[in-house]
Amino acid sequence: MRAVIQDRYGTAEAIGVDDLPEPVPADDEILIEVKAVSLNGSDRENLAGSPFYSRLGGLRRPRNPVPGSDVAGIVVSAGRSVTEYAKGDEVYGELAGYRGGLAEYVATSPRLLARKPTGMSFMDAAAIPQAGCIAYRATRGIGPGDRVLVNGAGGAGGSLVIGLAKHYGATVTGVDRAAKADHMRHIGADDTIDFETEDWADHRDRYDRIVDLMGHRSPYRVHRALRPGGQYLMVGGRTRILLALAAAGWSAGRGKTVKVLVVPQSRADLEAVTALVTEGVVTLALDRTYSLEHAPAAFARLAAEDHQGKIVVRVP
Ligand SMILES: NC(=O)c1ccc[n+]([C@@H]2O[C@H](COP(=O)([O-])OP(=O)(O)OC[C@H]3O[C@@H](n4cnc5c(N)ncnc54)[C@H](OP(=O)(O)O)[C@@H]3O)[C@@H](O)[C@H]2O)c1
């Protein structure tokens, strides 16, 4: 089968497309004929091997050379102990080990996968899993009138956080590059900040919820931007701050919370956020699409500074 191969950490030049043996599913796995794969910020990190947590899947080089976590496709066969899916079922979801998707076939546990809604394209289904589940968890508890700031709002997760926060009635400020301001407004942001010219953390007592997909500020800096009772959720960013916050938490006083949001891989969350997409509550923001043979170009775009929303790879 054709597959994307990453044999080292680095830039998009570390990515190639080659032939690999077709995987054989274990008794508790299904074999999927992959139709579409979407890329996330975590794929860029897994390519670079940075931040450091992206090397959990291999210190010197990735143990599984095939990148790609968010897939949609058709079940080709099911192991003996699999009862919930059978040949021909259309499924989508995030792969348990965050890798293996960018190939014509992947063998995986069915535990995290859901049935693709009838009428939804494979491209749209592949665009939902990781970004959708981040947005679903990060916006829980947001209500009408809340002021929400999303840092890294023009990317995969942030674009959906904006949409869901607006749905819950919040006023949303999106922070990203100036070139993504129109995109952020188009998907619902009331206000935008260019992080290259303005530091939102200089704002005082302004936000009820800060969702930070690119966290690099100390808890002391971010808590001052929260209103009393507000919540800062760090989703991604600098390892040192993630570890410090995850280990010790941070008490900010005046009812403010500063913490890491750990997003579980959950089929229930995936189905819940997908229902919001199919109801039209939130719109998927798709960037460009590439064929599997052009996956290196898709990674180059992911690493460049102008993608907006999700990049999707069509397979084959
Ligand atoms: N907590 C969890 O359980 C969990 C689960 C899954 C993933 N994650 C993490 O979530 C993070 C974000 O993922 P994503 O898929 O949304 O990433 P993404 O698609 O790359 O989006 C990030 C956005 O932030 C922009 N940006 C870059 N530097 C910035 C800065 N200093 N300030 C503000 N914005 C900046 C990026 O612009 P450019 O691309 O133009 O640079 C991009 O538009 C990743 O670190 C990933 O590992 C966390």
Side-chain angles (χ1 to χ4, degrees):
M1 67 171 185
R2 299 295 284 166
V4 176
I5 314 273
Q6 177 199 348
D7 59 5
R8 60 187 190 276
Y9 293 114
T11 62
E13 284 163 17
I15 294 276
V17 184
D18 211 337
D19 291 325
L20 275 187
E22 201 176 294
V24 178
D27 281 354
D28 60 351
E29 289 184 331
I30 52 177
L31 182 68
I32 301 170
E33 181 188 347
V34 180
K35 293 290 185 186
V37 183
S38 81
L39 302 184
N40 295 286
S42 57
D43 293 300
R44 188 187 54 240
E45 295 168 348
N46 290 342
L47 171 62
S50 173
F52 196 70
Y53 56 72
S54 62
R55 294 193 181 222
L56 289 175
L59 204 55
R60 290 179 170 276
R61 65 179 65 84
R63 273 191 295 277
N64 180 347
V66 181
S69 69
D70 285 14
V71 303
I74 302 172
V75 176
V76 176
S77 63
R80 266 184 299 180
S81 60
V82 175
T83 52
E84 51 195 329
Y85 296 119
K87 183 175 176 182
D89 287 344
E90 297 183 344
V91 295
Y92 71 113
E94 189 177 33
L95 298 174
Y98 301 101
R99 296 186 70 92
L102 278 161
E104 286 181 288
Y105 296 93
V106 62
T108 185
S109 159
R111 189 174 53 89
L112 299 171
L113 302 179
R115 281 177 199 277
K116 181 176 79 61
T118 318
M120 179 178 274
S121 70
F122 287 106
M123 308 278 273
D124 281 358
I128 297 175
Q130 186 180 112
C133 290
I134 288 176
Y136 184 69
R137 288 274 165 159
T139 55
R140 286 211 301 200
I142 289 176
D146 281 355
R147 288 199 244 172
V148 174
L149 179 132
V150 187
N151 190 44
S159 296
L160 282 172
V161 175
I162 291 178
L164 282 186
K166 285 304 296 175
H167 167 65
Y168 297 128
T171 301
V172 181
T173 300
V175 185
D176 211 303
R177 297 180 195 282
K180 302 187 188 184
D182 285 349
H183 165 70
M184 292 187 283
R185 284 192 185 274
H186 179 70
I187 53 179
D190 299 282
D191 190 17
T192 62
I193 293 175
D194 168 12
F195 71 81
E196 293 180 298
T197 58
E198 184 180 347
D199 189 348
W200 55 265
D202 289 338
H203 300 165
R204 292 284 170 273
D205 295 330
R206 192 168 296 185
Y207 305 105
D208 300 288
R209 175 79 54 93
I210 297 171
V211 178
D212 199 346
L213 295 126
M214 301 297 285
H216 62 269
R217 296 168 179 83
S218 75
Y220 181 70
R221 288 263 304 134
V222 300
H223 97 267
R224 292 185 296 180
L226 289 171
R227 293 164 101 183
Q231 230 183 18
Y232 169 89
L233 300 177
M234 181 170 181
V235 179
R238 214 165 267 173
T239 315
R240 184 172 50 82
I241 299 173
L242 273 169
L243 286 177
L245 271 182
W250 204 78
S251 172
R254 297 167 71 204
K256 300 179 184 182
T257 313
V258 176
K259 64 178 185 181
V260 173
L261 176 71
V262 178
V263 181
Q265 290 190 304
S266 153
R267 180 193 287 169
D269 282 12
L270 177 59
E271 289 174 335
V273 73
T274 301
L276 295 170
V277 173
T278 52
E279 286 160 21
V281 161
V282 64
T283 307
L284 295 171
L286 297 190
D287 187 81
R288 290 192 193 158
T289 60
Y290 293 82
S291 69
L292 188 70
E293 296 297 326
H294 291 109
F299 274 89
R301 178 153 178 83
L302 186 67
E305 295 179 348
D306 53 358
H307 75 280
Q308 303 177 5
K310 304 276 333 220
I311 295 168
V312 184
V313 176
R314 280 177 279 110
V315 187

